[in-house]
Amino acid sequence: MARLIEGRAIAEKVYLDLRQEIAEMKSKSVTPGLAVVLVGDNPASRAYVRSKDKMCRDLGLHSVKLELPSSTTQMELLVRVEELNRDPTIHGILVQSPPPKQIDEAAIVRALDPRKDVDGFHPENVAKLVIGDPSGFVPCTPLGIQCLLIESKIDISGAHVVILGRSMIVGKPLALLLMQKNKDANATVTVVHSQSGDLEKITRSADIVIAAIGQPNFVKAEHVRDGAVVIDVGINRVEDAASERGYRLVGDVAFHEVSKKASAITPVPGGVGPMTIAMLMSNTVKACRQSL
Ligand code: GUN
């Protein structure tokens, strides 16, 4: 039976350090500020935005939650982004993805001041990740996964890491992060996706399997070798009449069967999710520190 990697407990450790740095900043009359912009009323996005706002308040950060109607135009959103770029009380800006279809998301990301791009989606920050320039911002979920592995004393250096999924939010930046030339990375990384052949052969050769494809229970026992480490990034809502919300959250990994084979595994919820928010807070504090 696999050891459970407790994201909530590891996130608490991150908050302990952050609280100390925030207190030091506040003693110099500086308060890190985060603006979260939500366009439309996607229920999952609303839930994420609420938890980000709540965490900011809990840490004593300045938090601005901007909720715009689903009819918002590209121009209106660009104007709001420009205002936040100029606002000296705001150090980090996050525009919740995915926006409604009339919004050109890439153009919005390019309009962000890269120094406030705590999501790490701006081309300047993507370039810094490729180069290995530590002044850039790395997307929160990849950063959270690296932190989970380090804090769980799982060797990344020299390990074969197989990532399922090539998204700009998780798969691609995670591959770049874990292949960097430093002691907290140095992995041999393989990225597989919907067009990869013989998936099972590749995933079975992994020391660490990371699933980020958004398909409930996709990774089965036959995909992993005995003793592999399994990180589940998926947060999928599946209908569940027995639950009072009418749904429950399941990962991309068939937890019940895979946990019998793995040496360590993250649960859903309570694994990667809490780390993503912790890294958003950490990136916001970093943005503030770098602005001083
Ligand atoms: N939607 C899902 N994950 C994320 C994220 O990390 N950042 C933003 N902006 N939107 C998301």
Side-chain angles (χ1 to χ4, degrees):
M1 194 64 190
R3 163 167 70 108
L4 207 57
I5 300 174
E6 303 265 14
R8 285 202 187 98
I10 297 171
E12 280 309 318
K13 270 184 75 176
V14 174
Y15 290 131
L16 217 55
D17 292 340
L18 279 181
R19 282 180 199 280
Q20 187 164 354
E21 184 168 5
I22 294 163
E24 281 163 22
M25 287 174 157
K26 285 191 159 183
S27 74
K28 295 174 191 142
S29 300
V30 178
T31 301
L34 174 68
V36 176
V37 183
L38 172 64
V39 188
D41 46 18
N42 178 305
S45 292
R46 288 185 82 91
Y48 293 142
V49 168
R50 218 174 316 124
S51 51
K52 288 163 187 168
D53 183 51
K54 185 167 169 290
M55 190 48 72
C56 278
R57 287 169 198 283
D58 193 48
L59 292 175
L61 300 186
H62 172 52
S63 173
V64 172
K65 193 170 67 173
L66 212 57
E67 295 185 90
L68 305 175
S70 50
S71 59
T72 303
T73 66
Q74 179 80 6
M75 196 49 82
E76 283 165 346
L77 183 54
L78 280 173
V79 168
R80 305 311 285 265
V81 166
E82 278 305 326
E83 284 168 7
L84 294 169
N85 279 344
R86 283 194 303 270
D87 186 338
T89 71
I90 295 297
H91 304 92
I93 307 169
L94 176 149
V95 181
Q96 186 65 36
S97 182
K101 58 182 182 313
Q102 76 274 16
I103 302 293
D104 174 356
E105 191 174 8
I108 298 296
V109 167
R110 283 195 301 274
L112 290 169
D113 182 335
R115 294 167 299 184
K116 296 190 178 187
D117 168 38
V118 285
D119 259 333
F121 296 166
H122 189 284
E124 189 169 312
N125 286 314
V126 177
K128 284 183 174 179
L129 176 59
V130 175
I131 297 162
D133 177 341
S135 73
F137 293 98
V138 177
C140 303
T141 301
L143 212 48
I145 292 166
Q146 185 187 37
C147 182
L148 269 185
L149 292 170
I150 295 167
E151 292 296 328
S152 305
K153 307 270 188 292
I154 292 161
D155 272 332
I156 304 172
S157 192
H160 182 207
V161 177
V162 173
I163 300 168
L164 290 92
R166 52 179 159 178
S167 73
M168 280 304 301
I169 298 186
V170 185
K172 268 193 234 177
L174 181 61
L176 288 164
L177 184 65
L178 297 184
M179 73 167 81
Q180 280 187 339
K181 195 169 184 171
N182 68 60
K183 68 170 178 44
D184 293 328
N186 287 333
T188 304
V189 180
T190 303
V191 180
V192 296
H193 48 75
S194 57
Q195 306 305 305
S196 301
D198 209 347
L199 200 72
E200 207 175 297
K201 182 172 166 218
I202 303 169
T203 56
R204 284 181 72 92
S205 75
D207 302 304
I208 303 173
V209 176
I210 306 177
I213 49 176
Q215 292 196 42
N217 301 322
F218 180 90
V219 175
K220 306 279 199 282
E222 60 262 30
H223 287 103
V224 303
R225 67 160 179 78
D226 276 320
V229 172
V230 179
I231 306 291
D232 191 349
V233 188
I235 304 177
N236 307 291
R237 288 185 177 202
V238 298
E239 259 185 62
D240 182 2
S243 157
E244 64 183 65
R245 293 177 299 189
Y247 68 87
R248 69 197 152 83
L249 297 178
V250 302
D252 291 348
V253 176
F255 183 89
H256 185 71
E257 56 181 86
V258 174
S259 60
K260 289 177 186 149
K261 240 177 148 183
S263 62
I265 189 168
T266 60
V268 175
V272 174
M275 294 303 294
T276 296
I277 296 192
M279 293 303 115
L280 175 65
M281 301 298 128
S282 170
N283 274 351
T284 302
V285 171
K286 173 178 171 177
C288 180
R289 186 193 317 129
Q290 293 188 158
S291 77
L292 298 175

